[in-house]
Amino acid sequence: MSAFRHPARDLKRIIAALLVLAAALITAGSLTGWFWLLGVGVWALMAAFLLEFTFSP
């Protein structure tokens, strides 16, 4: 493994983690009927898309 870490790879991992988190929160919020959990999932999804649109090459 090299000592140099590419920032784009780290950003893709963060975006992927946000998408997985958003999917889990939206699913859990819709199944339980907790709208605050659904809202947090939607905000995580928006953050992932904004990061993707802002930092895409």
Side-chain angles (χ1 to χ4, degrees):
M1 186 163 130
S2 94
F4 178 70
R5 294 178 63 188
H6 200 272
R9 186 181 317 165
D10 293 336
L11 189 62
K12 291 291 182 184
R13 287 181 185 164
I14 291 171
I15 291 171
L18 276 172
L19 287 173
V20 169
L21 175 69
L25 287 173
I26 290 171
T27 302
S30 64
L31 289 176
T32 59
W34 292 352
F35 290 111
W36 66 269
L37 197 58
L38 188 67
V40 172
V42 170
W43 277 104
L45 185 66
M46 287 191 298
F49 281 128
L50 284 175
L51 280 173
E52 179 67 30
F53 290 142
T54 304
F55 294 109
S56 62

